[in-house]
Amino acid sequence: MLTCDTHDTWTQFLEYIKKRCSQTAFENWLAPIKVLETSADTITLEVPNIFVKAYLLDNYKKDLCSFLPVDTQGNPAIKFVIADQTERKPIQPQKPLQVQPVVEERLEYELKLNPSYKFETFIEGPSNQFVKSAAVGIATHPGRSYNPLFIHGGVGLGKTHLLHAIGHYAKQLNKKIRVHCITTEAFINDLVDSLRKKSVDRMKRFYRSLDILLVDDIQFLQNRLNFEEEFCNTFESLINQNKQIVITSDKPPGSLKLSERIVARMEWGLVAHVGMPDLETRVAILQHKAEQKGLKIPNQIAFFIAEHIFSNVRQLEGAINRLTAHCRLFNQEISEELVEQTLSELFQTAPKQRVSVENILKSIATVFQVRVTDLKGTSRTKEIALARQVAMYLAKEMISESLIMIGASFGKTHSTILHACKTIENKLKNDESLKRQIALCRRNINN
Ligand code: ADP
Ligand code: MG
């Protein structure tokens, strides 16, 4: 326990760290921290948000212990207070969500959710199982598990569907919950509108009164510098109150051209990828969509269509619509011939494989500082085994091939690949540094 003035030791800690981190990191993370109170055995710090608290503890716990008082468990004895909260309470992680009383606001509060985008109508397969269960978890316990949930993946793979499903399900479980679903474009328009009408405060109050904010297509925030900051502020104030945020994007946070601050915040919770469904799932989606339209497609024909449309679920839907129209119009039975006639222009040929396993291995070897030959070998040392699993995880994410093919490139079975992906997904839930390493590999591979 320290006997000297703890305030001074905090200053000494800052000086010590200043020499060991970048100026930007220092200004972003450490400079905004204020000392509120000190005593011989504890220090109370005011942090602008929970990210700063976590950043401090994740990165400097050991150093903090050398400079500051330590509690009985050997942790730095710091009480954290979040700035700008009317009630200054120490931060309680995992605080149960409290539904806001309905605020007297007229700002068009209307639940704009697509009625057909529900969990019940979302077909699961290996490419989206993980993200779907995260989405269900969040809708069940908003603000209490992963926050934010960041869903990324290519066009037409069900991101918006899942986003709306979260809203529907949360509402179904708790009618009073205030859910707002908005596209990034609409958010920007709202802001422009409020600026014009000089009602920005009202808009801020509205957003901050929500329990769940669902934001679609965050990539449209890129190159909108003025709006980025306002978005980030709204985002932080909701997260600080344990309100749930879900964001969708066409790329992972690290590949978005947004400020470091906002990328760091988006990576904070859970980043989940939604990939193209495999053949079996595509068939199930086709059958499901056809059934909804009152059309019965023989299995063999469903496989035939799903084999030829493989990069976008929306196109599968388009195929069903076209087929339904054709059958009704000409009163024809579905046959392979008819399918070819009506859908041939939708059919795709296999795309050129842009990312190869070899590219992935090279990038992993650099980032994880292992040799490509080791990754291809059978060594089970911890470092190599982890790097190898990350390679499999990225191969599944970035290569539009079946798991069997990907497995073959590694000399493994598809179940080994699946196991590796699950292991990495689990690790990613609470391993920030692994998250960053993987983001780095992705960037490396894409360049
Ligand atoms: P994204 O937002 O990723 O571009 P959408 O969520 O708009 O894609 O999905 C495109 C269409 O495909 C929607 O009509 C959606 O219902 C459907 N869809 C996508 N994935 C699935 C799935 N796994 N199960 C059922 N429908 C799906
Ligand atoms: Mg979408």
Side-chain angles (χ1 to χ4, degrees), residues 362-430:
K362 269 191 212 149
S363 161
I364 299 271
T366 319
V367 174
F368 285 78
Q369 306 207 318
V370 293
R371 289 181 312 189
V372 171
T373 45
D374 287 337
L375 290 173
K376 287 181 175 170
T378 51
S379 161
R380 288 175 183 265
T381 63
K382 224 166 115 195
E383 291 76 22
I384 295 172
L386 173 72
R388 193 181 292 129
Q389 285 185 322
V390 172
M392 293 178 186
Y393 170 83
L394 282 179
K396 177 169 171 277
E397 176 188 302
M398 303 180 89
I399 299 180
S400 47
E401 266 298 349
S402 73
L403 278 182
I404 296 174
M405 297 292 281
I406 294 175
S409 340
F410 282 91
K412 307 272 186 220
T413 64
H414 79 289
S415 62
T416 310
I417 306 286
L418 265 187
H419 174 74
C421 295
K422 282 246 158 64
T423 311
I424 297 301
E425 277 159 8
N426 276 335
K427 279 195 196 315
L428 283 176
K429 285 180 198 159
N430 35 31

Side-chain angles (χ1 to χ4, degrees), residues 54-227:
Y55 174 86
L56 196 64
L57 294 177
D58 283 353
N59 292 285
Y60 298 114
K61 199 160 163 184
K62 259 199 209 143
D63 303 309
L64 287 164
C65 287
S66 334
F67 281 88
L68 298 175
V70 173
D71 67 15
T72 47
Q73 273 114 48
N75 294 316
I78 308 175
K79 279 189 198 147
F80 285 95
V81 170
I82 297 188
D84 288 329
Q85 296 212 322
T86 36
E87 255 187 296
R88 297 204 159 180
K89 282 190 260 168
I91 300 164
Q92 309 255 323
Q94 307 274 309
K95 198 169 75 180
L97 176 82
Q98 284 179 358
V99 174
Q100 287 278 316
V102 177
V103 182
E104 288 291 320
E105 283 287 353
R106 288 270 128 233
L107 206 112
E108 314 84 49
Y109 178 72
E110 192 193 324
L111 201 53
K112 293 176 195 137
L113 297 176
N114 184 325
S116 48
Y117 289 176
K118 296 195 171 157
F119 286 134
E120 296 91 293
T121 54
F122 189 81
I123 310 293
E124 265 180 66
S127 66
N128 57 31
Q129 229 150 29
F130 173 70
V131 57
K132 190 204 159 184
S133 49
V136 173
I138 269 169
T140 318
H141 301 291
R144 280 199 278 158
S145 33
Y146 325 103
N147 204 7
L149 169 64
F150 189 98
I151 302 175
H152 70 97
V155 178
L157 298 186
K159 300 181 299 293
T160 303
H161 189 133
L162 281 171
L163 192 73
H164 288 221
I166 293 174
H168 282 300
Y169 197 58
K171 259 306 203 212
Q172 200 180 316
L173 296 178
N174 181 352
K175 279 204 186 67
K176 288 190 188 143
I177 207 160
R178 279 172 70 86
V179 180
H180 190 56
C181 183
I182 192 161
T183 61
T184 304
E185 284 296 317
F187 176 84
I188 293 175
N189 291 343
D190 258 11
L191 192 61
V192 173
D193 218 35
S194 312
L195 284 168
R196 204 162 37 82
K197 293 186 193 144
K198 299 195 170 56
S199 58
V200 178
D201 282 349
R202 218 179 65 167
M203 174 179 168
K204 281 187 184 165
R205 269 201 312 273
F206 167 76
Y207 275 95
R208 287 164 199 191
S209 74
L210 298 171
D211 299 305
I212 303 183
L213 176 60
L214 307 169
V215 184
D216 208 2
D217 290 326
I218 198 74
Q219 69 272 14
F220 293 119
L221 199 63
Q222 292 175 116
N223 308 319
R224 311 295 295 262
L225 213 60
N226 300 337
F227 303 105

